[in-house]
């Protein structure tokens, strides 16, 4: 951690990250703490690199005095082969989104899952995690499922159009959380309706609902008012699914909370300071409103 350093230099490594809201979120929060803090996107597509080159970028960053990096698609898994140390959670998840440089060593963390867990605590306090249905088993889904089980979910059902992907994720999760009951199916309408019938909460982890993929991944009329509904999508912050869920009386959590949660948790790892997640969320929502 670098709270005693005079300044911090952070990079975000991934494809298409130039428009990311994470750098301005960090920099604004650092301003509030009186830190000298620069956070730059390092868009591998723009500079003609591939995911395999993430190790070279990290080592160059270490040699150039960077404090740390956030890592995003498509580098979160491949980065593991270039770390000197990593947390147990990174080991279990098989993915890292944060690398802190400590005495020249590249130390990996995952704040996608801690960010989602923090988002649930902040945005859905007291949410009943007894039986959770998760739709979508991709990269975001893996972190969300891990967070949900670590937060105490007793039963987790994962549905994905790619049933093999859902089954593979369930298998890994059963190994990591042997006391929980984890099941998986395809995401056809009947399977989702069956799993939703006795779910206490539902998490949406597919790209359906984004500006470029409008709609809902399942028919929201299956929702009942006693259920909570979380979405990982944050462009738009209020998805069609969340609007429909609210209209049916459900408590909801938008994907902006997770995006801010991971940023706040990474900020703490980079600086040793506690970020004000509410303040970061207000800035995040301002940027979204401004069309950034
Ligand atoms: P991904 O491509 O790795 O996984 C998406 C999964 O959804 C795939 O397994 C796919 O088969 C499944 N899927 C697609 N349509 C479906 C449907 N109709 N029903 C069931 N399953 C379906 O993508 P990802 O990286 O996991 O990202 C998913 C979404 O999460 C994106 O919209 C991304 O912007 C968002 N995301 C948000 C945050 C955040 O901090 N809030 C972080 C990461 C990703």
């Amino acid at each position: 951690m670098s709270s005693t350093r005079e300044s911090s230099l952070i990079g975000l490594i991934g494809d298409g990250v130039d428009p990311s809201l994470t750098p301005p979120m960090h920099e604004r929060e650092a301003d509030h703490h009186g830190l000298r803090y620069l956070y730059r996107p390092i868009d591998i597509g723009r500079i003609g690199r591939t995911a395999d080159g993430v190790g070279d970028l990290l080592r160059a960053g270490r040699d150039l005095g960077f404090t740390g990096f956030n890592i995003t698609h498509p580098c979160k898994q491949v980065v593991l082969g270039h770390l000197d140390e990593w947390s147990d959670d990174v080991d279990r998840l098989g993915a890292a989104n944060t690398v802190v440089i400590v005495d020249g060593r590249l130390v990996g963390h995952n704040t996608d899952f801690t960010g989602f867990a923090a988002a649930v605590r902040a945005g859905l306090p007291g949410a009943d995690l007894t039986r959770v249905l998760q739709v979508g088993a991709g990269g975001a889904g893996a972190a969300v499922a891990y967070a949900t089980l670590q937060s105490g979910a007793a039963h987790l059902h994962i549905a994905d159009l790619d049933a093999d992907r859902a089954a593979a994720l369930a298998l890994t999760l059963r190994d990591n959380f042997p006391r929980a009951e984890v099941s998986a199916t395809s995401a056809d309408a009947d399977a989702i309706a069956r799993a939703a019938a006795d779910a206490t909460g539902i998490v949406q982890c597919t790209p359906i609902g984004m500006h470029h993929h409008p709609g809902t991944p399942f028919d929201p009329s299956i929702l009942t008012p006693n259920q909570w509904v979380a979405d990982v999508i944050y462009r738009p912050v209020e998805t069609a699914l969340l609007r429909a869920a609210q209209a049916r009386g459900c408590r909801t959590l938008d994907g902006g909370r997770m995006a801010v949660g991971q940023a706040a948790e990474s900020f703490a790892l980079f600086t040793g300071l506690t970020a004000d997640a509410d303040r970061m969320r207000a800035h995040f929502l301002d940027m979204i409103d401004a069309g950034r």
Side-chain angles (χ1 to χ4, degrees):
M1 299 199 188
S2 57
S3 56
T4 56
R5 288 187 194 169
E6 289 180 359
S7 61
S8 301
L9 181 57
I10 315 290
L12 170 62
I13 300 176
D15 195 18
V17 295
D18 276 342
S20 170
L21 300 181
T22 298
M25 263 199 280
H26 276 248
E27 288 185 343
R28 176 73 68 87
E29 182 60 17
D31 287 348
H32 285 291
H33 291 270
L35 302 177
R36 291 184 179 184
Y37 191 103
L38 279 181
Y39 189 133
R40 293 292 157 90
I42 302 166
D43 196 319
I44 59 171
R46 174 172 47 78
I47 61 175
R49 306 284 184 120
T50 63
D52 293 336
V54 65
D56 290 338
L57 289 173
L58 286 177
R59 286 183 288 274
R62 175 195 60 201
D63 296 346
L64 291 170
F66 272 67
T67 308
F69 294 88
N70 278 131
I71 309 293
T72 191
H73 178 78
C75 306
K76 286 184 189 183
Q77 283 88 26
V78 71
V79 72
L80 265 56
H82 302 281
L83 300 175
D84 297 309
E85 292 171 38
W86 51 91
S87 68
D88 289 347
D89 295 306
V90 165
D91 212 32
R92 295 189 197 107
L93 270 160
N97 77 326
T98 304
V99 177
V100 186
I101 298 167
V102 184
D103 299 330
R105 293 174 68 73
L106 302 170
V107 183
H109 301 269
N110 191 303
T111 69
D112 285 326
F113 92 88
T114 53
F116 182 75
V120 171
R121 285 195 302 274
L124 285 174
D128 184 351
L129 297 174
T130 311
R131 298 189 82 87
V132 178
L133 164 63
Q134 177 177 313
V135 185
V144 164
Y146 191 91
T148 305
L149 288 166
Q150 211 189 51
S151 301
H155 304 266
L156 176 67
H157 183 84
I158 304 166
D160 194 293
L161 286 182
D162 181 342
D164 291 342
R165 200 170 193 190
L169 177 57
L171 197 62
T172 317
L173 291 165
R174 273 186 224 115
D175 277 350
N176 290 328
F177 299 94
R179 279 188 296 193
E181 192 182 294
V182 186
S183 50
T185 52
S186 69
D188 61 79
D190 287 348
I192 291 192
R194 265 197 308 279
D198 61 355
T200 53
I202 294 159
V203 195
Q204 185 322 95
C205 298
T206 81
I208 310 301
M210 294 177 75
H211 287 308
H212 299 307
H213 299 281
T216 60
F218 56 87
D219 180 352
S221 69
I222 62 175
L223 299 171
T224 54
N226 56 327
Q227 293 171 324
W228 54 264
V229 178
D231 204 324
V232 299
I233 288 172
Y234 56 86
R235 288 182 193 271
V237 173
E238 191 181 73
T239 59
L241 177 66
L242 294 187
R243 268 200 311 280
Q246 284 156 12
R248 299 185 70 76
C250 303
R251 290 168 76 202
T252 61
L253 179 78
D254 64 65
R257 291 261 185 199
M258 180 182 178
V260 169
Q262 64 78 23
E265 301 272 326
S266 292
F267 182 89
L269 289 168
F270 293 140
T271 65
L273 301 173
T274 302
D276 183 331
D278 289 336
R279 183 165 64 196
M280 289 178 87
R281 177 171 168 82
H283 180 217
F284 174 84
L285 294 176
D286 283 349
M287 289 191 286
I288 294 266
D289 283 349
R292 285 187 64 174

